[in-house]
């Protein structure tokens, strides 16, 4: 049986013509990783056409073969050392590469940065350095190429090394090695060059072999973002399978687990493979389902973790580096959709700490991040999310931002942020600050209208009689000569905005509208009634906050486990009779002194 050899993904970056293709071609050739006769065939063809041979031609020829499916073994270019196989990651352009790395389409574990000894450090060389820093790639070798063109002069090499090291230090990056090479001639590629006896640091291949691989995913704490929840289809079988792909770590039957951010705990009862026999253990990379000791209510997006291991952070604020690709700039205060693992939530750009132009590395303070710029940002989500810092666990520390249905940026999480002031609070403060208050005080209105104002949210699951009850309540209060209004569009508002806009952002916007509208109407002294389906505790809290300091009362129809008992003012059974429901709500209004007995109900 063949033993699985270790692999390492390497990206090779450098300014155009500094020798990337040559370095790759040379490594493939010198390590004996090319198909038999390939090099000779390409050289012979060049000779026939009276063209000087280029390693780029060799790579083109290999690519053609791959495209035609001729060489089965070289689906990706790779070369071997005695230690491991190196897979070369294609980096067509730095923007493309960043996009791929951030989205996880490419995973470079090591990088070779090429600088032409003759041309020296270019803007692009700086950009590439920054890119490595941004992506957190630590295994970096800088190759100073075309040393033959500077007579293998140590001074030229040392000068480039000094200048580039200084620059990299500014961005907090320290390469593992600087290697003087002449890729075309094979100097210092896989063995020490006789042309540069002054250099003792090892060949490109030696340096690569010295790079350490990150610990295997199996050794990291367990993380499985929940993708889906399936119910067993058998009659009466109430069990649910929570399914997803294990990003890292291992798990076995009997392990105590916790879902985050909800914090619900359980124990693994069985591990279910699709179309496969059940097993007692599972590990990173497997798509899998679990059943649990006790039935729990879980939604996709949560991350399943092991209680005994280091858990992800749970917070609604975090600091991240992003690379922006959107047509419109990323703007402070604007809401985007954040996708991290299987979680999708609205996220507000709370603070732009600084923006870096990747070309000039000029740091600037501005309230937006333009296309192809890098920003250090504090993000805030409406609900807490579970995440890791990217250097701990990349899979749950990397996210993308969606603007207008398109992936407009990607980022990596640097740290959680814990502070209590939220963007919503600030928005409300700003709104209140700009509000010229009427001379007619809420008390005067209450006396005149014979009641105080309130926003009554009738919440609960779909088809539980919420609208019927809301309308009956409006009628009853109206007949009691109260200033009451049933806002019958809130459900529709939420649903309609889901059609026209991104579902998650649409709902968020609709709820902000509803909250602001409620604030306006309750400020005018009204009792506003509305019914909303499918909102959770955080969304409810947001409505309350937006309506504050005015009163919000929550009536929950039917059981809804997403609300904490304290946040509900009155619980009604599903499809409660209208008159019973109305009586109970009126009692609540009296108790809450919205309807004061003094006002003669
Ligand atoms: P890329 O654009 O970075 O992929 O650069 P290439 O690998 O295509 O190289 C650009 C040019 O530099 C080609 O003409 C190469 O033959 C030449 N070149 C690459 N390495 C060396 C070297 O070590 N010495 C010299 N003299 N030329 C080199």
């Amino acid at each position: 049986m063949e033993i699985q050899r270790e692999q390492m993904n390497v990206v090779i970056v450098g300014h155009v013509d500094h020798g990337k293709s040559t370095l790759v071609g040379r490594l493939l050739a010198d390590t004996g990783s090319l198909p038999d006769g390939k090099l000779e065939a390409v050289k012979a063809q060049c000779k026939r056409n009276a063209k000087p041979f280029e390693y780029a031609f060799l790579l083109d020829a290999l690519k053609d073969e791959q495209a035609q499916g001729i060489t089965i073994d070289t689906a990706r270019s790779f070369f071997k050392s005695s230690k491991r196989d190196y897979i070369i990651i294609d980096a067509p352009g730095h923007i493309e590469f960043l996009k791929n790395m951030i989205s996880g389409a490419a995973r470079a574990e090591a990088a070779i940065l090429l600088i032409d000894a003759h041309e020296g450090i270019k803007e692009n060389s700086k950009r590439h350095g920054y890119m490595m820093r941004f992506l957190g790639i630590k295994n970096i070798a800088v190759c100073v190429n075309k040393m033959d063109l500077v007579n293998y002069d140590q001074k030229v090499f040392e000068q480039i090394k000094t200048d580039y090291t200084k620059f990299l230090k500014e961005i907090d990056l320290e390469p593992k090695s600087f290697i003087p090479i002449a890729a075309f001639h094979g100097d210092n590629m896989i063995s020490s060059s006789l042309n540069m006896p002054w250099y003792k640091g090892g060949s490109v291949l030696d340096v690569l072999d010295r790079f350490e691989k990150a610990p295997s995913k199996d050794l990291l704490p367990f993380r499985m973002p929940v993708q889906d929840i399936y119910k067993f289809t058998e009659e009466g079988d109430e069990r649910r399978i929570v399914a997803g792909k294990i990003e890292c770590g291992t798990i076995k039957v009997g392990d105590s687990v916790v879902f985050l951010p909800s914090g619900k705990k359980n124990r693994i009862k069985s591990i279910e493979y699709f179309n496969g026999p059940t097993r007692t253990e599972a590990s990173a990379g497997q798509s899998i389902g679990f059943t649990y000791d006790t039935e729990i209510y879980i939604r996709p997006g949560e991350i399943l973790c092991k209680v005994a291991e280091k858990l992800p952070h749970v917070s609604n604020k975090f600091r991240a580096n992003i690379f922006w690709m959107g047509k419109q700039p990323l703007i402070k205060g604007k809401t985007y959709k954040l996708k991290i693992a299987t979680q999708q939530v609205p996220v507000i750009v709370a603070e732009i700490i600084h923006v870096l132009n990747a070309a000039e590395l000029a740091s600037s303070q501005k309230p937006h991040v333009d296309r192809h710029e890098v920003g250090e940002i504090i993000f805030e989500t409406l609900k807490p999310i579970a995440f890791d810092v990217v250097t701990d666990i990349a899979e749950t520390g990397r996210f993308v931002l969606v603007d207008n249905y398109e992936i407009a940026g990607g980022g990596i999480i640097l740290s959680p942020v814990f502070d209590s002031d939220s963007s919503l609070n600030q928005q409300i403060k700003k709104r209140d600050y700009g509000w010229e208050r009427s001379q007619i005080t809420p008390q005067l209105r209450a006396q005149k209208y014979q009641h105080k104002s309130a926003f009554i949210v009738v919440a609960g699951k779909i088809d539980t009689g919420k609208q019927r009850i809301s309308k009956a309540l409006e009628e009853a209060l109206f007949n009691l000569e109260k200033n009451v209004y049933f806002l019958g569009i809130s459900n529709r508002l939420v649903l309609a905005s889901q059609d026209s806009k991104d579902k998650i952002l649409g709902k968020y916007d609709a709820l902000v509208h509803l909250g602001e509208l409620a604030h306006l109407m309750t400020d005018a002294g009204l009792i506003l009634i509305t019914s909303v389906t499918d909102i959770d505790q955080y969304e409810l809290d947001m409505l309350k906050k937006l309506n504050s300091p005015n009163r919000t009362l929550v009536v929950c129809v039917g059981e809804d486990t997403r609300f904490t008992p304290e946040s509900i003012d009155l619980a009604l059974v599903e499809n409660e009779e209208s008159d019973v429901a109305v009586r109970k709500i009126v009692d609540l209004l009296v108790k809450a002194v919205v309807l004061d007995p003094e006002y003669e109900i």
Side-chain angles (χ1 to χ4, degrees), residues 330-334 336 348-352 366-368 426:
L330 172 109
I331 297 168
K332 183 178 172 184
K334 194 176 159 184
Y336 297 89
I348 296 175
V349 177
E351 207 177 314
I352 299 182
K366 54 181 191 175
H368 58 269
Q426 283 172 18

Side-chain angles (χ1 to χ4, degrees), residues 313-318 378 387 415-421:
H313 300 284
V314 174
S315 167
N316 66 341
K317 264 192 182 183
F318 59 87
I378 302 225
F387 58 84
S415 66
V417 172
F418 299 102
D419 79 37
S420 55
D421 200 18

Side-chain angles (χ1 to χ4, degrees), residues 2 40 80 162 213 267 345 353 357 427-428 442 537:
E2 201 182 313
E40 294 69 25
K80 300 163 190 274
T162 308
K213 262 190 91 73
R267 194 182 295 274
V345 285
I353 301 172
N357 178 299
Q427 189 185 323
I428 291 167
Q537 183 66 48

Side-chain angles (χ1 to χ4, degrees), residues 432-450:
D432 289 345
Y433 183 73
W435 199 293
E436 187 61 45
R437 291 282 157 196
S438 159
Q439 281 168 327
I440 301 160
T441 62
Q443 290 75 14
L444 285 174
R445 277 183 219 279
Q447 271 160 20
K448 173 100 177 168
Y449 299 153
Q450 304 269 293

Side-chain angles (χ1 to χ4, degrees), residues 12-25 53-57 59 114 116 144-149 152 181-187:
I12 294 158
V13 287
H15 189 67
V16 65
D17 276 350
H18 281 199
K20 295 181 291 298
S21 316
T22 308
L23 181 125
V24 174
F53 166 75
E54 287 285 357
Y55 281 94
F57 302 155
L59 297 189
L114 270 180
D116 184 325
V144 179
N145 189 27
K146 305 193 192 179
M147 284 300 291
D148 56 315
L149 296 184
Y152 300 104
I181 61 168
F184 192 85
H185 304 289
D187 290 285

